[in-house]
Amino acid sequence: MSGPPAHGRAVVVTGLGVLGAVASGVRELTDALRSGRCALTAPAPPADADRPGVTWPAFTAELTSDEVPGRALDALPGLPEDLRSAARRTALRSPVPVRAAVVAALQAWLEAGLDRTAPPPGRIGVVVAGNNLTERVTEDGRARAERNPAYLPARYALHQQDTDHVATLSRVLGVRGEGCTVGGASASGNLALVHGARMLAAGAADVCLVVGAMTRLSPLQTRGYLTLGAMAPADGAPARPPAPFDRGHRGFHPGQAAACTVLETAASARARGARALAGLAGAAVVLDGNHLADPSVDGEVRAMEGALAQAGVSAADVGWVSSHGTGSPLGDRTEADALRKVFGTGDDGPWVNATKSLTGHCLSAAGVVEAVAAVLQLQAGFVHPDPGLRDPVDAGLRFTGDEPRRARGGFVLSNGFGFGGFNSAVVLAHPEA
Amino acid sequence: MNGSAESVPGTDSAEERVLAVLRRTTLEIVPEVDPALFTPDRTLSDLGCNSIDRAEIVTLAMEELDIAVPVHEFHQGMDLAALAAIMRKQL
């Protein structure tokens, strides 16, 4: 993907953005990561909580209100007035996740300096990570239409499409190159990074925004994950959320965030004078040949080893692993076993952390949120703590635990796995690595 | 309500109410519209609303008024007075 470092089509990251429960920008996210600040809280029980069979999530990390993206847009420093008004005019009518995506993308756009100097609009692409993003829109629309079909909101046909994210982002930013959504369940974020990097490597664009779409679960989707036992239920929950890989884990805790990385060819970044925050050194995506929620050590090992091979680095070069780590007992155990196979259990192995311990599981956006977090940690020189990890499921792996750690070398491996046997890993590199 | 629509000769209070609802939904969907331009002789297009905005405004207004106007009764280029009149018939 990146080719040799001197190659002009090597892929670098020149901008980052995030908007979610954990943080409203990258500086705030860096603070949360460094201090191990967890955005998860126990939600209020639903009105029908006493009804037999009713259950709800133990912990969630949700936006405090629907107004968060609009306020973050108003507060975004240095945003040119034409972009602010295009964002307001276009995204004001959009569902909350699309508004959040616009704000995260604008943050990244500004950091990359694309408001000052940018390739022609036809050389800029946008890839949105996620699938089945709009069930909440459909449930809200159905409630209105049940009174009378005439009351279905007129924008429903537009808003019920995942691609509404792509369209709205392209409108606000004036992007005219390639655009699409990329779906791979909870691996969507990494898959979108791979797709964006390939777009650049193939010469189809010079800049590609990769945007992780905020997953805002509908009541039915939430219930579906609870029914499968994938999401931790409120019933029997401890007072504080156990971190992934802790023996107290009982399933994932959903989190809401949108995130954006600006990927760019090294040549384009150099020509614009844009600073490379990191390099996207390699990646791999493999399937298990399995349609269930049943992860496999083999698939995860193949993804990690494939990403390392493409990056041209060995396991010993990896300073830390940003794990997929959701808090699912089976998922955590499987990933721990895969990490043992790839990295061994020596004292000099990589640190392992799980950003979902702080953000919750951002589902479609998770891979992009975690790539943003990884680049921030590479830049700041720490590996974030996971304070909820007290009793690890695997004593042979070097989990960060309570304290931020310092990683050797300049490479991080970020895992992303999804229901249905999606396995992916990306290698991010410090620009001087 | 944020204000009432301007009166025009021949309108009754029900039609005034419909115009007021249309005015408010218009400003909700397209906040950048200058409220002073909302007069019965103008069309929603005159106010800068695109076709999706127009459909959204009419849908919201019907929901608020608890009426359903058959789709074929709407025509392009109807001014706000004409729009209010066909909605008024369903009240």
Side-chain angles (χ1 to χ4, degrees):
Chain A
M1 183 164 306
S2 65
H7 192 286
R9 301 218 74 83
V11 174
V12 297
V13 177
T14 53
L16 302 171
V18 67
L19 182 78
V22 68
S24 291
V26 293
R27 192 170 302 166
E28 196 183 339
L29 180 58
T30 305
D31 293 343
L33 295 168
R34 196 192 303 271
S35 60
R37 190 176 72 229
C38 174
L40 292 163
T41 57
D48 59 351
D50 293 337
R51 218 167 119 204
V54 170
T55 182
W56 62 96
F59 299 97
T60 59
E62 297 187 353
L63 293 188
T64 50
S65 87
D66 288 358
E67 308 312 314
V68 169
R71 284 203 298 266
L73 179 66
D74 289 339
L76 192 53
L79 185 64
E81 217 29 64
D82 58 331
L83 270 178
R84 197 184 306 274
S85 82
R88 288 209 71 86
R89 171 98 174 78
T90 308
L92 193 72
R93 301 137 167 91
S94 297
V96 170
V98 176
R99 282 186 247 164
V102 165
V103 175
L106 283 169
Q107 292 171 3
W109 185 267
L110 294 183
E111 182 177 25
L114 289 164
D115 59 314
R116 297 191 298 275
T117 161
R123 296 293 300 164
I124 304 177
V126 59
V127 178
V128 171
N131 53 267
N132 302 74
L133 300 168
T134 65
E135 191 168 299
R136 181 95 164 246
V137 171
T138 293
E139 286 196 15
D140 292 349
R142 180 176 291 122
R144 308 269 289 272
E146 269 171 359
R147 231 180 107 210
N148 188 319
Y151 301 160
L152 181 70
R155 280 187 160 74
Y156 177 73
L158 298 170
H159 286 171
Q160 57 88 25
Q161 310 215 29
D162 289 346
T163 45
D164 185 40
H165 281 79
V166 178
T168 303
L169 287 162
S170 74
R171 168 77 179 85
V172 172
L173 297 167
V175 166
R176 303 288 178 90
E178 277 193 36
C180 64
T181 60
V182 170
S186 295
S188 293
N190 273 357
L191 266 62
L193 288 166
V194 168
H195 190 87
R198 284 181 184 153
M199 193 190 288
L200 301 181
D206 300 320
V207 166
C208 181
L209 278 82
V210 178
V211 178
M214 174 183 285
T215 303
R216 208 169 175 233
L217 295 171
S218 71
L220 276 184
Q221 288 172 317
T222 302
R223 175 66 206 209
Y225 285 119
L226 286 164
T227 295
L228 277 195
M231 186 186 289
D235 186 32
R240 291 166 125 198
F245 300 106
D246 187 275
R247 285 187 195 283
H249 55 187
R250 307 165 66 243
F252 78 82
H253 310 302
Q256 293 181 346
C260 177
T261 65
V262 175
L263 300 184
E264 184 162 8
T265 64
S268 171
R270 219 171 16 246
R272 295 195 305 114
R275 185 163 77 100
L277 306 172
L280 180 49
V285 181
V286 297
L287 297 173
D288 280 335
N290 174 4
H291 66 299
L292 303 175
D294 185 15
S296 87
V297 173
D298 170 71
E300 295 181 9
V301 167
R302 286 190 296 129
M304 288 190 262
E305 291 185 342
L308 293 175
Q310 197 191 26
V313 299
S314 70
D317 296 321
V318 173
W320 113 85
V321 176
S322 172
S323 68
H324 181 63
T326 64
S328 141
L330 177 62
D332 288 353
R333 182 67 258 167
T334 307
E335 188 172 12
D337 290 346
L339 288 167
R340 275 174 166 263
K341 283 207 167 178
V342 176
F343 296 103
T345 54
D347 291 343
D348 57 349
W351 290 109
V352 177
N353 66 2
T355 301
K356 293 179 186 74
S357 71
L358 310 179
T359 60
H361 189 347
C362 298
L363 296 157
S364 278
V368 184
V369 171
E370 287 155 31
V372 168
V375 173
L376 293 173
Q377 291 169 84
L378 276 176
Q379 289 272 310
F382 70 87
V383 185
H384 77 69
D386 286 335
L389 181 48
R390 313 211 178 279
D391 184 12
V393 294
D394 191 323
L397 296 171
R398 296 176 78 211
F399 294 108
T400 53
D402 280 339
E403 295 295 320
R405 310 287 180 171
R406 188 164 286 281
R408 68 179 148 67
F411 293 97
V412 51
L413 182 81
S414 180
N415 283 338
F417 309 133
F419 278 5
F422 287 88
N423 305 287
S424 69
V426 302
V427 177
L428 294 158
H430 190 280
E432 285 157 25
Chain B
M1 290 197 185
N2 293 331
S4 59
E6 291 187 16
S7 296
V8 284
T11 57
D12 60 16
S13 67
E15 204 162 318
E16 296 268 351
R17 185 176 150 228
V18 172
L19 276 168
V21 168
L22 279 170
R23 181 180 196 271
R24 190 154 37 75
T25 51
T26 299
L27 293 173
E28 184 180 331
I29 299 295
V30 193
E32 49 282 2
V33 164
D34 176 359
L37 295 179
F38 191 96
T39 53
D41 58 322
R42 286 199 168 88
T43 67
L44 286 170
S45 302
D46 293 339
L47 303 182
C49 301
N50 63 36
S51 62
I52 305 276
D53 294 334
R54 299 197 297 272
E56 193 91 292
I57 290 161
V58 168
T59 302
L60 263 181
M62 289 195 301
E63 186 176 16
E64 176 155 342
L65 294 164
D66 203 13
I67 58 170
V69 178
V71 174
H72 68 261
E73 290 196 19
F74 293 113
H75 300 289
Q76 220 159 9
M78 280 181 146
D79 63 21
L80 286 158
L83 200 52
I86 63 165
M87 295 177 98
R88 158 76 180 86
K89 282 194 298 180
Q90 304 290 330
L91 281 176

